[in-house]
Amino acid sequence: MIMKLPLLKVGLLTCLATGLFYEEAFAESEWTSKCEAYGEVKPNENPSVQQVNCLLTNAAVAADIPPEVVKAVATQENGGWRQFTNNGEAVISSDGGIGLMQITNQPGYDQEQLKNDIYYNIDAGIKTLNSMYARTSTDLPKIKDAGRQVIENWYFPVMAYNGIKPVNSPISKLTGLENKTAYQEKVFAHIEKHSFLNGTKLTKFPFSSTDFQYNPSDNKNIEFLKKEYTLTGQTHESAYLFKAGDKVAVTTENVNLRPQPGTAQKGITLSKNTTLIVTGQFVFDQNANSQNQFVWYPVKTADQKNTGYISSAYLIKASETTTTDISFTDVDKTDRFYDDIYSISEKGIISGFPDGTFRPEEKVTRAQAAIMISRALKLSLDSTVTPFKDVTPSVSGAEHIAAAHKQGIITGFPGGEFRPKLPVNRGDMAIILSRAFKLQGTTDKTFSDVTKSMKSYDSIQRIIAAKITFGYDDNTFKPNNGITRGEFSALLNRALQYNAQ
């Protein structure tokens, strides 16, 4: 719905894709006839879930919008995907949002038709989303070199669908923390939940509070000072682009290749990275009331011995396996460092253990820190020679320690030792990151347990200024506390994002 929250109530440009001839243009639309197999849409009755799935999907495809985005917006606006109430009246929110797509403040559309015609309502939502995407050429940010089918590139258009108000700022201007209650964050969470059933995470933007200009205490639009972003993680194209002959790969273990498009029959089980060949256009679930938002692709195995249907939620292009090869049994979506752990793991900076665990609470040693920094910066590993008497060529990570030392990122202790197995504390971490990424900023922020006499004082100031970390709620930094693998993953990932700005 456009401008869902009362405090977001402002007018949008309603002339975009509407105008005097809208009715004629809509009547010629082709996508409205693509779901006739489900039967006729009856007046004042809600179509089945899969019929709505079909309508939303085909409307999105016709408009060159990732269907994942359109369906997630519909879910956020109208969780039940309903055009009508049980009494046959149009669904209207308290602030005037109409129907399935919750169209609000759009006088250029026929208000009664928005209420009574689900096709018209969907088309209005699609056209509004399209008009928001067009703004990435003017006032909304975009991803460098990314096109319309990159899901992440719809982050700001989705935001604008609801309103570019302070309440939807990607980060809090006051704290610098991620604003998880922002409209677009909720929409992207729906995409991850309903379109990526294997735990795939959409790549985060490297936001900084200096990217936006707004006053948190008023309701004026956000001004975007940064218009283009470079994402360090793998972006995701829509899974609705596959066509007959394309090679795809299975993204997780024990995926069912089913005899029919639906979950009623299991079929054979496929392993992660199994290569499949798409044999035709995607289809929808045979159970008209299935709640699944994904579609089914007809496929055959590479040896052509087996055929069937597989959910689009478990498929990627066969050449794009980097983001789905990694899985840790002890890191789930509720982990506060989930995104960071998987982000740097996918880059090959850190790895798990042979038993499939990541062990996020395990402390990081000095050798491990050197290895991760070396990999993050892609340092040249041309020698294992160091000035440290306890780092011989046989020491694990010797080449990384040598490379990081050569760049002035790490030093040793008096007496010529490096102490590779010694845990890294938060003060050490600040020094390492400050040197590695050549941080120069400063801040007025002070901590009760950090004094100017400390070796790590300046480095702590710099990583705080770069918003790589913020300290603790009790106004301490805890510089002597050991740092865990999860924490180090988060700080290193933030440093990489800061460096990419």
Side-chain angles (χ1 to χ4, degrees), residues 284-305:
F284 298 90
D285 203 298
Q286 286 192 332
N287 178 0
N289 292 309
S290 167
Q291 300 298 307
N292 293 329
Q293 294 186 16
F294 51 76
V295 294
W296 298 90
Y297 273 100
V299 296
K300 61 183 178 182
T301 54
D303 60 10
Q304 302 191 33
K305 292 182 178 179

Side-chain angles (χ1 to χ4, degrees), residues 204-472:
K204 298 287 187 179
F205 283 72
F207 291 129
S208 168
S209 58
T210 58
D211 296 350
F212 317 104
Q213 180 63 46
Y214 66 90
N215 183 346
S217 63
D218 67 32
N219 199 36
K220 293 181 180 179
N221 283 348
I222 297 169
E223 179 184 359
F224 301 98
L225 304 180
K226 184 170 182 174
K227 295 298 178 62
E228 188 173 79
Y229 289 87
T230 299
L231 271 56
T232 57
Q234 174 71 50
T235 56
H236 301 79
E237 288 194 350
S238 174
Y240 292 73
L241 300 176
F242 304 136
K243 57 185 182 299
D246 284 349
K247 290 184 177 181
V248 293
V250 178
T251 61
T252 191
E253 296 290 349
N254 301 319
V255 172
N256 281 297
L257 178 62
R258 302 179 188 271
Q260 299 295 330
T263 57
Q265 297 172 287
K266 285 191 174 182
I268 67 170
T269 301
L270 301 176
S271 301
K272 181 193 289 188
N273 295 329
T274 298
T275 299
L276 302 169
I277 301 171
V278 176
T279 59
Q281 177 63 29
F282 61 76
V283 294
F284 298 90
D285 203 298
Q286 286 192 332
N287 178 0
N289 292 309
S290 167
Q291 300 298 307
N292 293 329
Q293 294 186 16
F294 51 76
V295 294
W296 298 90
Y297 273 100
V299 296
K300 61 183 178 182
T301 54
D303 60 10
Q304 302 191 33
K305 292 182 178 179
N306 296 287
T307 62
Y309 292 85
I310 190 169
S311 164
S312 60
Y314 299 121
L315 296 179
I316 57 172
K317 289 182 180 179
S319 60
E320 296 175 0
T321 58
T322 54
T323 61
T324 55
D325 286 342
I326 299 168
S327 179
F328 304 115
T329 58
D330 57 348
V331 180
D332 60 32
K333 292 182 180 179
T334 63
D335 193 299
R336 61 183 295 210
F337 301 128
Y338 178 94
D339 292 335
D340 301 296
I341 288 170
Y342 276 91
S343 179
I344 69 166
S345 296
E346 289 162 1
K347 296 181 180 71
I349 295 171
I350 192 171
S351 58
F353 294 87
D355 62 357
T357 62
F358 182 82
R359 304 177 193 174
E361 298 302 320
E362 190 170 289
K363 294 295 191 292
V364 174
T365 67
R366 285 170 52 81
Q368 291 168 345
I371 292 170
M372 285 187 275
I373 289 294
S374 170
R375 288 172 177 168
L377 299 180
K378 300 179 180 178
L379 300 181
S380 176
L381 305 178
D382 53 8
S383 175
T384 58
V385 177
T386 75
F388 309 120
K389 61 185 181 182
D390 56 350
V391 179
T392 63
S394 63
V395 170
S396 178
E399 69 276 24
H400 295 283
I401 295 170
H405 177 263
K406 184 178 180 180
Q407 294 297 319
I409 298 170
I410 59 172
T411 57
F413 292 88
E417 293 180 333
F418 179 72
R419 303 177 190 174
K421 295 182 179 181
L422 186 70
V424 172
N425 62 39
R426 286 172 54 82
D428 297 332
M429 172 274 301
I431 294 172
I432 291 171
L433 293 178
S434 178
R435 290 173 179 170
F437 294 94
K438 297 180 171 56
L439 303 179
Q440 298 297 324
T442 188
T443 177
D444 294 331
K445 175 70 175 177
T446 60
F447 299 100
S448 61
D449 56 351
V450 177
T451 65
K452 291 184 178 180
S453 63
M454 291 180 175
K455 179 181 178 181
S456 59
Y457 177 81
D458 289 336
S459 297
I460 291 172
Q461 291 283 301
R462 290 167 185 157
I463 67 168
I464 294 296
K467 293 183 170 52
I468 293 171
T469 189
F470 301 95
Y472 293 88

Side-chain angles (χ1 to χ4, degrees), residues 30-45:
E30 295 181 357
W31 65 265
T32 56
S33 63
K34 294 287 182 71
C35 305
E36 291 178 348
Y38 288 98
E40 183 181 354
V41 174
K42 298 179 181 179
N44 304 102
E45 289 187 18

